[in-house]
Amino acid sequence: HGESPKRGLTCALYNSEDFAKIDWEAGSRVFVFICSSTGDGDPPQKAIKFWRWLRSTDRGKFLEGAKFALLALG
């Protein structure tokens, strides 16, 4: 996050609990999702609502045509 302006990039950090407050359509076309895992690779309790929303059909199509990556730490 601190290096992005030096490289001409803008960056915003969000907590998965705040997913409903984020304007996902606001110009960003690159997403990096970072999540810890518990047990057998399950998401933490705080990320479950976001995961359900992400998989639902009412989330819009903000990932369509976007570049994204997932870093899962377990």
Side-chain angles (χ1 to χ4, degrees):
H1 184 254
E3 288 291 316
S4 61
K6 294 176 188 176
R7 301 181 187 276
L9 304 170
T10 57
C11 179
L13 300 175
Y14 299 101
N15 186 308
S16 63
E17 293 175 288
D18 298 329
F19 73 91
K21 300 173 188 173
I22 300 168
D23 182 1
W24 293 96
E25 306 288 336
S28 294
R29 301 310 315 143
V30 178
F31 301 94
V32 178
F33 301 100
I34 301 171
C35 184
S36 62
S37 62
T38 61
D40 292 323
D42 299 320
Q45 282 298 116
K46 293 181 176 185
I48 290 176
K49 284 184 182 180
F50 172 66
W51 176 242
R52 287 182 183 150
W53 173 80
L54 189 61
R55 294 185 62 206
S56 72
T57 57
D58 66 340
R59 66 166 169 76
K61 295 185 179 193
F62 77 94
L63 287 178
E64 192 172 286
K67 294 180 181 182
F68 61 93
L70 171 65
L71 173 60
L73 306 170

